[in-house]
Amino acid sequence: MGRHEQGAEGARMGRYDQGVHADEPVTILTVAREAGVSKTTASDALRGSGRVSERTRETVVAVAERLGYVPNGSARHLRKASTGTIGLHVPEVLTRSSYYMSFVFGVVEQAARHDYDVTLITSGQRRARPPRVDGLVLGDPLGGDPVVESLMATGLPTVSCERFPGSRQADGVVWSEHALMLTRLLDHLLATGARRPGLIVAGDESDWAASVHRGYQEWCAGRGVAPLVSRVSFDATGDEVRAAARALLGRGHGAPGTGGGTPGTGGGALATGGGALARNDDTPRTGGAEVPMDALVCAPAGAATEVAPLLREAGGRVRLASCVDSAATRQADPPITAIDLRPREAGASCAELLFELLSGTAQPGTERVHPIELQIRASTAPRP
Amino acid sequence: MGRHEQGAEGARMGRYDQGVHADEPVTILTVAREAGVSKTTASDALRGSGRVSERTRETVVAVAERLGYVPNGSARHLRKASTGTIGLHVPEVLTRSSYYMSFVFGVVEQAARHDYDVTLITSGQRRARPPRVDGLVLGDPLGGDPVVESLMATGLPTVSCERFPGSRQADGVVWSEHALMLTRLLDHLLATGARRPGLIVAGDESDWAASVHRGYQEWCAGRGVAPLVSRVSFDATGDEVRAAARALLGRGHGAPGTGGGTPGTGGGALATGGGALARNDDTPRTGGAEVPMDALVCAPAGAATEVAPLLREAGGRVRLASCVDSAATRQADPPITAIDLRPREAGASCAELLFELLSGTAQPGTERVHPIELQIRASTAPRP
DNA sequence: TTCTGCTGCCGGAACGTTCCGGCAAGTTTC
DNA sequence: GAAACTTGCCGGAACGTTCCGGCAGCAGAA
């Protein structure tokens, strides 16, 4: 001791000035001395624990405020065996999607509200040591990602956004009703006069893509529409997506029955239509296998805007919608109907669930539904 | 003590299993006991400090390896008054740009290489306390951002990507020759037959935008081209950018002289052309104020792709280029000529400079140039 | 011999916090 | 009126690390 005896400090300039440049660190001992109590009482008063009279509590709080006391995180976490930090993993393949940027900010914002920091974990970096965190948020984990696997093996409390398409599941899951919302979107397309909506979607590594695909298949079965699907890779380029769209456009014109067209015309487009479901004759008004595509739903982020010019060139007959809303879809010409996944709120919801798991407020195994919204825009207006 | 006497642990399953689930925390005391030395010697041996014989050093290292010893960050940082974490700020306005996502990953990757964590700091969150970090990276700080101001006031070592357009400067700066590269781009446009390239650029809150604008003006002055500039807001929507493009397209057709056209036709497009520079008669072959725009350079990320359809409708006469490369420009149809800012490497470079500042290897005031590249694509091919 | 210096190792304190147990004084209970 | 309980406060230990100072043992110098 004796290194800083004065204690009385007074307010200083600036916003973070206290205790940062090391001329006079304000510890809980400084506060206690200044308030005329012991360090225990000061600690109790500030954290609302222990037994402290209201009067002294107010005094201590006032003094702490005045001195600009900021608790030392390292000391606190050393004592409490926690870190005050949560880890956040987002798959690097999808870096360019603005969805993840918003998601990340949602997590950071919510964590800040709980006075937690957020440490980013990328799939790229090989980690020599386990992350120094109290828990983990996994943003849309991809099945088979080795980093995700090892993160789950840490035993740390974990929340994933969408389910993990692997063997084990996170302690908490925040998911959205993508299949249901896609159903609404498809019904909307039907209502505007479309008869045969097609789908471009990525593979089932992501729970989200799998849900979208499943929702589409079930809707087709229920409505008696012959499915028209093209799978693309997860980080599909514009060319790949356009090739898939062209392949879908080319199908349905040929002979009815087993789907016609040339599967795999370009870019690995895999057509799955024209099966038994197309023979459902109860609802003859909707699209059988011989009906050409007159609406296209693009699942991957950014795919819809990539495809838009192609559809326009093809005559503008095909309605267009995206499963991921973004500035690009909002501002396209015409604006593109899309499902707003509300990524920022999704991130906040994941962080919140994690904190509840950490505090014991929520039980492991908790699942929460994150509401999403269908934004109907001009790209799916009825065609003249 | 006495809580875990066995000590000998042996290798375990999994990758992060050591010391994470709390059944048997392995501290430096465990290692010391197992190696038959004191905790001081163990610590010295592991960190290469103090005086330890080579023989015992090897023993201790081997034991630590075997037990999977991971130093407790909180304890270390409590003792050393550091945190093992750096803060990363990116302006929230620009969240949707994939540039920042890549930048962030670059920082995280480089930090991981130094065994540092990265904590995100957003402009949105109001911070009750100074961030618990050893240093800061500011990604393209905007002038007047209060969070940036207060971060700079912390006195923490700081590196900014691009200069801070405010009074004080960060301790380290990583910047790119945007003005020079724009000159190359404009020369390229001239070489493909363009006579009057226009520019859409955001305001001078960002050093990057200011550099681009300055580079354009200087190039125009040097080449005797009448400038044709439209300013948009930093987070310009597609509509705003398109309105700016339309305004630029409308100019140059009218009476020669003071620029003609209708300034501010839509979306706040502010035209600055037609001044004294346009009267430079030494180089009559290039574009005077009466020459219509035949090439358009879009500075804001994403602006070029938003404008592309408009230019196509207008006859495809106008060449198009972007100051920010991205998946969207690469994959556009036709692919758009763009400046690749190499964001991931920029982020890594910022982090690296910060670590050198922290270790004293680099001096405060260091500036480093981050190389960028011009990617020439079909959108600026010579017109028939 | 004694003094000095070097090597290899170690005990203990310190970093700033939380929390267990305890102690006076006051209040209720039987 | 003593026992039991409550209130308000406190000292000290502990978290796991780093580092200062010290202490033997040995070697070389005076």
Side-chain angles (χ1 to χ4, degrees):
Chain A
M1 286 307 103
R3 204 163 89 246
H4 36 85
E5 286 298 58
Q6 279 309 325
E9 275 284 276
R12 298 219 212 132
M13 303 293 296
R15 202 167 157 196
Y16 295 152
D17 265 351
Q18 309 297 354
V20 168
H21 34 53
D23 48 353
E24 182 96 3
V26 170
T27 78
I28 203 162
L29 277 176
T30 326
V31 174
R33 217 180 308 133
E34 189 73 6
V37 296
S38 77
K39 62 187 192 327
T40 305
T41 306
S43 175
D44 284 342
L46 289 174
R47 294 174 309 120
S49 61
R51 289 179 305 216
V52 187
S53 75
E54 187 57 24
R55 193 170 139 60
T56 57
R57 202 191 67 81
E58 282 168 4
T59 312
V60 171
V61 167
V63 168
E65 180 82 14
R66 178 163 60 84
L67 299 186
Y69 166 70
V70 176
N72 180 310
S74 296
R76 166 174 294 178
H77 299 124
L78 170 60
R79 180 63 233 249
K80 303 185 63 163
S82 81
T83 66
T85 305
I86 60 173
L88 170 58
H89 173 89
V90 287
E92 194 151 15
V93 205
L94 307 170
T95 291
R96 64 167 184 273
S97 161
S98 70
Y99 170 87
Y100 283 99
M101 200 73 184
S102 297
F103 182 83
V104 165
F105 275 95
V107 171
V108 170
E109 193 177 56
Q110 189 66 17
R113 219 166 267 148
H114 289 259
D115 202 35
Y116 262 71
D117 287 335
V118 177
T119 282
L120 276 178
I121 302 167
T122 68
S123 283
Q125 62 186 289
R126 59 151 197 73
R127 297 191 68 86
R129 54 172 174 78
R132 287 189 290 257
V133 296
D134 295 341
L136 292 162
V137 170
L138 308 178
D140 213 359
L142 300 185
D145 187 326
V147 172
V148 172
E149 299 275 4
S150 60
L151 287 176
M152 285 200 138
T154 57
L156 289 168
T158 302
V159 170
S160 70
C161 185
E162 306 302 326
R163 288 195 184 74
F164 179 54
S167 46
R168 52 186 299 181
Q169 218 40 244
D171 304 299
V173 176
V174 172
W175 60 282
S176 298
E177 298 177 310
H178 300 294
L180 177 64
M181 198 52 67
L182 182 62
T183 299
R184 297 238 185 98
L185 171 55
L186 292 167
D187 281 340
H188 157 72
L189 290 171
L190 239 58
T192 65
R195 294 177 60 202
R196 189 106 195 271
L199 177 73
I200 292 179
V201 64
D204 293 344
E205 308 95 305
S206 145
D207 184 48
W208 165 74
S211 298
V212 167
H213 188 222
R214 182 173 45 78
Y216 177 79
Q217 293 289 355
E218 289 174 0
W219 180 88
C220 285
R223 290 289 188 279
V225 172
L228 202 52
V229 177
S230 182
R231 307 296 289 242
V232 294
S233 65
F234 225 94
D235 50 348
T237 63
D239 282 341
E240 186 177 346
V241 172
R242 273 187 292 272
R246 260 188 287 267
L248 290 181
L249 280 172
R251 301 193 56 242
H253 290 294
T258 52
T262 54
T265 303
L270 170 74
T272 65
L277 289 170
R279 309 209 182 286
N280 184 340
D281 286 354
D282 298 347
T283 54
R285 63 199 172 285
T286 53
E290 77 287 351
V291 178
M293 180 171 78
D294 50 9
L296 177 58
V297 177
C298 294
T305 45
E306 300 280 3
V307 160
L310 186 82
L311 297 185
R312 197 183 305 120
E313 285 169 19
R317 184 183 42 83
V318 178
R319 295 154 186 83
L320 178 61
S322 170
C323 288
V324 185
D325 200 13
S326 69
T329 49
R330 270 192 302 276
Q331 297 163 12
D333 182 29
I336 298 172
T337 292
I339 296 175
D340 182 1
L341 300 177
R342 304 174 58 248
R344 195 180 184 103
E345 292 80 6
S349 183
C350 286
E352 180 57 31
L353 178 51
L354 179 57
F355 291 127
E356 293 180 20
L357 284 170
L358 286 172
S359 69
T361 320
Q363 293 306 310
T366 302
E367 300 207 348
R368 284 199 188 145
V369 174
H370 169 67
I372 55 182
E373 289 169 8
L374 178 59
Q375 303 286 350
I376 293 177
R377 302 203 181 93
S379 72
T380 55
R383 293 307 187 251
Chain B
M1 284 306 101
R3 210 163 84 244
H4 37 85
E5 285 298 56
Q6 279 310 326
E9 274 285 90
R12 298 218 212 134
M13 304 293 297
R15 201 169 159 194
Y16 296 153
D17 265 350
Q18 310 296 354
V20 169
H21 33 54
D23 47 353
E24 183 98 2
V26 43
T27 78
I28 203 163
L29 277 176
T30 324
V31 174
R33 213 180 310 132
E34 190 72 5
V37 297
S38 77
K39 63 187 193 324
T40 304
T41 306
S43 175
D44 284 342
L46 289 175
R47 292 174 312 121
S49 61
R51 290 180 304 220
V52 188
S53 75
E54 186 57 24
R55 192 170 139 60
T56 56
R57 203 191 65 80
E58 282 168 6
T59 312
V60 171
V61 167
V63 169
E65 179 82 14
R66 179 163 59 83
L67 299 187
Y69 167 68
V70 175
N72 180 310
S74 296
R76 165 173 294 177
H77 299 125
L78 170 60
R79 182 62 232 247
K80 303 185 61 164
S82 83
T83 66
T85 306
I86 61 173
L88 170 58
H89 173 89
V90 288
E92 193 152 14
V93 205
L94 306 169
T95 290
R96 65 167 182 272
S97 160
S98 71
Y99 171 87
Y100 284 99
M101 199 75 182
S102 296
F103 181 84
V104 166
F105 275 97
V107 171
V108 170
E109 195 175 55
Q110 189 66 18
R113 222 166 263 148
H114 289 259
D115 201 32
Y116 261 71
D117 287 335
V118 176
T119 281
L120 277 178
I121 302 167
T122 68
S123 284
Q125 61 187 287
R126 57 150 200 75
R127 297 189 68 87
R129 54 171 175 78
R132 287 188 290 256
V133 297
D134 296 340
L136 292 163
V137 170
L138 307 179
D140 212 0
L142 300 186
D145 187 327
V147 172
V148 172
E149 299 275 6
S150 60
L151 286 175
M152 285 198 140
T154 56
L156 290 168
T158 302
V159 170
S160 71
C161 185
E162 307 301 328
R163 286 195 186 76
F164 179 53
S167 46
R168 53 187 299 181
Q169 214 45 240
D171 304 300
V173 176
V174 172
W175 61 282
S176 299
E177 299 177 310
H178 300 295
L180 177 64
M181 197 52 69
L182 182 62
T183 299
R184 297 238 185 99
L185 172 55
L186 291 167
D187 281 339
H188 158 71
L189 290 172
L190 238 58
T192 64
R195 294 177 60 204
R196 189 103 194 271
L199 177 71
I200 292 179
V201 65
D204 292 343
E205 306 95 303
S206 147
D207 184 47
W208 165 74
S211 299
V212 167
H213 188 222
R214 182 173 45 78
Y216 177 79
Q217 293 288 355
E218 289 174 1
W219 180 87
C220 285
R223 290 289 188 282
V225 172
L228 202 51
V229 177
S230 183
R231 309 295 290 243
V232 294
S233 64
F234 225 95
D235 50 348
T237 62
D239 282 340
E240 186 177 346
V241 172
R242 273 186 292 271
R246 260 188 288 265
L248 291 180
L249 281 172
R251 301 194 56 242
H253 290 293
T258 51
T262 54
T265 304
L270 170 73
T272 65
L277 288 171
R279 309 210 182 284
N280 183 341
D281 286 354
D282 299 346
T283 55
R285 64 198 173 286
T286 52
E290 76 287 353
V291 179
M293 180 172 78
D294 51 9
L296 176 58
V297 177
C298 293
T305 45
E306 300 281 2
V307 160
L310 186 80
L311 296 184
R312 198 183 304 121
E313 285 169 19
R317 185 183 43 83
V318 179
R319 296 154 186 82
L320 179 61
S322 170
C323 288
V324 184
D325 199 14
S326 69
T329 49
R330 272 191 301 276
Q331 298 163 11
D333 183 28
I336 298 172
T337 292
I339 298 174
D340 183 1
L341 301 177
R342 303 174 58 249
R344 195 182 183 102
E345 292 79 5
S349 183
C350 286
E352 182 55 33
L353 178 52
L354 179 57
F355 291 126
E356 293 179 19
L357 284 170
L358 286 173
S359 69
T361 319
Q363 293 306 309
T366 303
E367 301 207 349
R368 284 198 187 145
V369 174
H370 169 67
I372 55 182
E373 290 170 7
L374 178 59
Q375 303 287 351
I376 293 177
R377 303 202 181 95
S379 71
T380 54
R383 294 305 186 253

